[in-house]
Amino acid sequence: GAPPTPLPLPMCYDWGESSEGSVFVVEGEVGWLSCPLFSHPSVYNYTSTQSAGHNLFWYHLPEGQDLEQCCLVHTKDRERLWLQPTTASDTGQYICMLRNKSSCSKIGIRLTVLRPDDATRGVKCALPVAVAPTEKIVPLQKGATLDCPDLQDAIKMSESKPEVQWYFASALKNVEVGFHLLIHVMQEEHQGIYYCRVQYQRRNQTLNFTRSINVSAICETPFLLTNIHVALSLTLSVPLSLPKQPSIMNPTNDQIFTVKTGKEVRLVCRGHLPFVLNNPSRHIWWTVDGETLDKFPDRFREENRDWTLESVLVIQNFQSKDLKREFNCSVRNEKGFDTRRAQLEEEVTLPSVELGCGLGVTLLLMLLLFVVYHVFWLELLLLYRSWFGTDERHTDDKEYDVYISYARNSEEEQFVLSTLRRVLENELGYSVCIFDRDSLPGGTITDETLSFVARSRRLLVVVSPGYASQGSQALLELKAGIDNMALGGHLRVILVQYKPVRRQGWVRELRRARVALALVRWQGDKSRELSSRFWKRLRVELPVRRDPLTFHLNAG
């Protein structure tokens, strides 16, 4: 749906309805309305009004509605309102309102949507056109170029290159496809109405509009020219004296030529040069920095096409410094002179080779870093911890680094005492607590177990098939560690799997802890060396040590 329509300001200067008359559009074709407030740039200018904080609003007032009830669903483009396409319900008055917080002005313009049958006005061999035809006078035996009116507007709105179909009214047949229609040699039978139908794509919709050009032939002799002028004045209501001053049709004021350095650039100048009786002299040419091209014989040349009143400036090997040059197209005949500057804009192109190489190198480096991290992530993590890790001995009051829980009177006990304890204490410098070694005789087992676990930074549980079947001491230690960890204490539990254990052999506490705790697997002889993955993985879970030996192991 359309956004809520802002209410007009209480004090809004009303210019009434535009004196330019109604705008006519054929139903089903594209149409647009230009805000009449901007018809006098000295009073209202779109760019300056936007910079001053003014906003332009459009309202549609069907019969029987007022301003507050109207709504709008069409496309706005600067000072224009586009109807793409028009429907019969679009008929009515439109209000364009220019307002900010302190001022407001509005003016009305009426739109009439014609049915295709009404637009042909009952004429056979005619296409429905709502806009009055433009007039084109072409001397006999001379050439001319017909440009479809309003084509530039379609180019701005189109998402692809528009297509233009040309028709001649005498037989209403398709005579040409292209932006321009060339009349190489004007004959009397070539006179008449020419239609151009512009078709373009916008938002997956095919849109079109039709325009017409009334082409008349004139003779260079004064007598015939006067007779033709009289006939034209009676039938077409054109003035007896046609304008003789030359003008430039291309480049237009807002046209920008896109150029690419290192390539050939062709700038097309097309002029309108009316014939002057008894003096048919006509000229069209290019200048560069105010100088004619004979001053630049190396890279600039001009191709003149007299039969189309066209001059093409060819620039070989266009260079960046050429963007700073002034390229002017000029036309002249006996009655006057006109000139216009060509605006250039460098085409932005991505260096494909350099971009491809850079992207390839980037992907290769990312792949290399991924492989390095995947293979050496333990070493990198240990190195990072040795540089930036925090020594927990300075932040807590724990007595032991590691408390080892294991199944007594089993093979695991030999592994704990001869291997695990020895490496942790003698090689890695950790303080280790083992209940059977460090507890005092005569104490209460439960109290001392809970005390030892609470005074340790890590609880290392050696998991094996006999862990749950060798009495309740190991389970007490495990439960104490898990409870301490769950209550937010500083203790962390580490699981070391000495031998594979079937899932049915895991006690309930271990099955719960296995989901969230780290599991380090002992792999027999492969894990005996200090450089093995087992000891590196275990050191990642143990507290950080900064002594020289540990740093040496981290780096190695």
Side-chain angles (χ1 to χ4, degrees):
T5 304
L7 296 177
L9 294 176
M11 298 297 296
C12 194
Y13 187 80
D14 190 356
W15 289 83
E17 190 167 309
S18 173
S19 60
E20 298 175 0
S22 297
V23 176
F24 294 92
V25 184
V26 177
E27 183 180 5
E29 290 194 349
V30 173
W32 58 85
L33 299 173
S34 297
C35 182
L37 290 175
F38 300 102
S39 59
H40 301 285
S42 59
V43 180
Y44 295 101
N45 179 274
Y46 184 85
T47 303
S48 61
T49 55
Q50 289 293 301
S51 61
H54 288 79
N55 291 316
L56 181 63
F57 298 96
W58 282 92
Y59 302 87
H60 179 203
L61 273 68
E63 295 297 330
Q65 292 188 7
D66 55 19
L67 188 61
E68 286 75 12
Q69 296 173 329
C70 70
C71 60
L72 186 62
V73 294
H74 295 298
T75 305
K76 289 190 296 183
D77 177 36
R78 292 176 61 88
E79 67 268 27
R80 285 186 173 183
L81 173 67
W82 285 78
L83 301 95
Q84 304 186 84
T86 55
T87 62
S89 60
D90 292 325
T91 296
Q93 188 185 48
Y94 287 77
I95 302 293
C96 69
M97 178 183 294
L98 191 64
R99 52 175 281 190
N100 61 9
K101 295 181 180 180
S102 60
S103 64
C104 174
S105 298
K106 65 179 181 178
I107 190 171
I109 184 172
R110 187 163 298 276
L111 174 71
T112 301
V113 180
L114 301 176
R115 295 173 53 193
D117 293 340
D118 297 334
T120 57
R121 300 178 181 87
V123 179
K124 295 182 178 180
C125 297
L127 294 179
V129 181
V131 180
T134 58
E135 301 294 334
K136 180 73 173 180
I137 307 299
V138 181
L140 289 170
Q141 303 300 320
K142 299 296 181 181
T145 301
L146 303 185
D147 295 310
C148 188
D150 301 327
L151 175 60
Q152 296 300 323
D153 297 304
I155 294 175
K156 293 179 182 178
M157 299 300 293
S158 175
E159 296 173 354
S160 61
K161 185 178 180 180
E163 296 181 2
V164 181
Q165 298 279 346
W166 289 88
Y167 302 87
F168 186 38
S170 63
L172 200 58
K173 61 180 181 179
N174 190 349
V175 295
E176 186 66 62
V177 177
F179 281 10
H180 316 288
L181 177 64
L182 301 180
I183 300 177
H184 299 284
V185 180
M186 185 63 189
Q187 304 290 340
E188 290 186 2
E189 59 267 27
H190 295 160
Q191 298 183 97
I193 300 293
Y194 288 80
Y195 298 96
C196 57
R197 173 163 289 172
V198 180
Q199 182 173 295
Y200 63 93
Q201 297 290 327
R202 179 175 174 82
R203 297 178 180 175
N204 298 324
Q205 188 177 14
T206 301
L207 304 169
N208 67 83
F209 62 85
T210 308
R211 296 292 183 266
S212 60
I213 304 174
N214 185 18
V215 177
S216 302
I218 61 172
C219 183
E220 295 182 346
T221 61
F223 176 76
L224 290 179
L225 181 62
T226 302
N227 289 342
I228 291 177
H229 275 180
V230 173
L232 288 175
S233 65
L234 294 176
T235 60
L236 301 177
S237 299
V238 297
L240 291 177
S241 58
L242 298 175
K244 300 298 183 181
Q245 287 75 19
S247 61
I248 294 176
M249 298 182 294
N250 188 75
T252 59
N253 289 324
D254 55 353
Q255 182 177 354
I256 297 178
F257 292 96
T258 302
V259 298
K260 184 183 295 186
T261 56
K263 302 293 183 179
E264 180 182 277
V265 173
R266 302 176 70 87
L267 306 181
V268 179
C269 174
R270 188 175 296 110
H272 174 63
L273 290 162
F275 275 82
V276 178
L277 295 178
N278 303 323
N279 194 335
S281 175
R282 301 181 300 168
H283 301 282
I284 180 170
W285 73 97
W286 282 93
T287 60
V288 179
D289 294 335
E291 302 286 346
T292 55
L293 297 189
D294 56 359
K295 306 293 184 180
F296 306 92
D298 49 353
R299 292 189 300 111
F300 303 93
R301 77 171 188 270
E302 193 171 17
E303 297 178 357
N304 290 318
R305 303 172 182 176
D306 293 334
W307 53 275
T308 59
L309 304 178
E310 185 176 285
S311 176
V312 180
L313 174 61
V314 181
I315 307 174
Q316 300 288 346
N317 188 24
F318 192 90
Q319 302 175 8
S320 298
K321 64 180 182 180
D322 294 328
L323 288 170
K324 301 178 181 179
R325 295 182 181 272
E326 183 175 333
F327 298 93
N328 288 312
C329 170
S330 302
V331 293
R332 182 176 61 200
N333 66 3
E334 185 67 19
K335 293 296 183 178
F337 169 83
D338 190 20
T339 186
R340 185 169 297 159
R341 181 175 180 176
Q343 303 180 55
L344 306 184
E345 180 180 75
E346 185 173 6
E347 180 180 349
V348 179
T349 57
L350 295 176
S352 56
V353 177
E354 293 81 353
L355 184 62
C357 293
L359 182 60
V361 172
T362 302
L363 293 177
L364 182 61
L365 288 177
M366 291 178 63
L367 180 61
L368 182 61
L369 290 176
F370 175 79
V371 172
V372 170
Y373 178 78
H374 183 73
V375 176
F376 300 103
W377 71 274
L378 281 175
E379 289 79 358
L380 294 173
L381 185 56
L382 288 172
L383 186 62
Y384 175 83
R385 281 163 47 90
S386 67
W387 285 349
F388 304 105
T390 301
D391 194 334
E392 298 177 25
R393 291 176 294 184
H394 304 318
T395 60
D396 59 29
D397 56 354
K398 303 286 185 176
E399 183 178 349
Y400 301 103
D401 290 319
V402 184
Y403 181 93
I404 302 179
S405 173
Y406 58 95
R408 274 69 172 178
N409 303 320
S410 64
E411 185 180 350
E412 288 81 359
E413 184 173 9
Q414 181 66 24
F415 164 70
V416 169
L417 298 178
S418 62
T419 301
L420 202 56
R421 179 202 59 79
R422 176 181 60 81
V423 174
L424 292 177
E425 287 186 338
N426 301 334
E427 302 294 341
L428 302 181
Y430 290 105
S431 57
V432 178
C433 177
I434 299 177
F435 183 86
D436 296 334
R437 183 192 67 176
D438 298 324
S439 61
L440 296 177
T444 304
I445 294 178
T446 302
D447 294 340
E448 289 198 22
T449 298
L450 296 177
S451 175
F452 281 139
V453 171
R455 288 150 54 193
S456 302
R457 299 182 179 91
R458 302 289 188 276
L459 172 61
L460 199 155
V461 178
V462 181
V463 181
S464 64
Y467 182 81
S469 61
Q470 299 295 327
S472 60
Q473 174 69 23
L475 293 178
L476 176 64
E477 296 165 343
L478 174 62
K479 190 175 185 307
I482 293 177
D483 290 344
N484 186 290
M485 191 173 179
L487 293 175
H490 295 286
L491 177 70
R492 288 173 54 189
V493 180
I494 307 171
L495 303 181
V496 174
Q497 181 177 290
Y498 178 63
K499 286 185 177 181
V501 182
R502 294 182 179 180
R503 183 169 180 81
Q504 294 80 0
W506 290 68
V507 295
R508 182 180 60 183
E509 290 81 358
L510 280 177
R511 284 199 299 268
R512 292 178 178 177
R514 175 67 184 87
V515 178
L517 301 180
L519 178 66
V520 185
R521 291 183 173 86
W522 175 263
Q523 295 180 330
D525 294 337
K526 292 174 57 178
S527 301
R528 294 191 181 279
E529 297 293 333
L530 282 179
S531 58
S532 68
R533 187 178 184 85
F534 171 81
W535 293 109
K536 293 178 181 178
R537 182 72 179 85
L538 186 59
R539 284 161 51 206
V540 169
E541 305 298 332
L542 293 174
V544 175
R545 285 292 173 268
R546 291 184 176 277
D547 56 287
L549 177 60
T550 302
F551 180 80
H552 175 72
L553 290 173
N554 288 341

